[in-house]
Amino acid sequence: MSEIDHPAHYGGEDDPFEAIKVIDAWGLGFCLGNALKYIRRAGLKEGESRRKDLEKALWYIRHEIDREDEP
């Protein structure tokens, strides 16, 4: 259950800075929330490299920036 509900690579339930708590508190929405999530877990999730997580975060940030240019 811990891999679904408050997994350690996102901070865990006892961490006040767990990714989902920060995303909700700051009202980040989907793209920025995902960017924060990938930054938070960078290098911590088994099977995922730090670089890959940071590249995913960057993709979501770029997508959010591109949305700024939409009418």
Side-chain angles (χ1 to χ4, degrees):
M1 186 64 163
S2 66
E3 284 301 307
I4 296 170
D5 190 17
H6 308 287
H9 55 266
Y10 293 130
E13 185 172 14
D14 295 331
D15 185 342
F17 303 108
E18 180 185 20
I20 192 70
K21 293 172 189 163
V22 175
I23 290 165
D24 287 347
W26 292 356
L28 293 180
F30 185 77
C31 289
L32 294 180
N34 272 331
L36 185 137
K37 175 186 77 169
Y38 285 118
I39 290 167
R40 172 62 179 94
R41 82 170 204 191
L44 299 176
K45 185 173 183 184
E46 188 175 332
E48 296 289 331
S49 73
R50 177 177 162 82
R51 180 181 179 96
K52 185 175 180 181
D53 284 336
L54 294 175
E55 287 175 351
K56 288 178 180 180
L58 185 56
W59 187 93
Y60 280 103
I61 292 169
R62 285 186 178 134
H63 184 74
E64 186 71 14
I65 290 169
D66 289 345
R67 291 179 60 210
E68 291 289 316
D69 295 332
E70 293 177 358

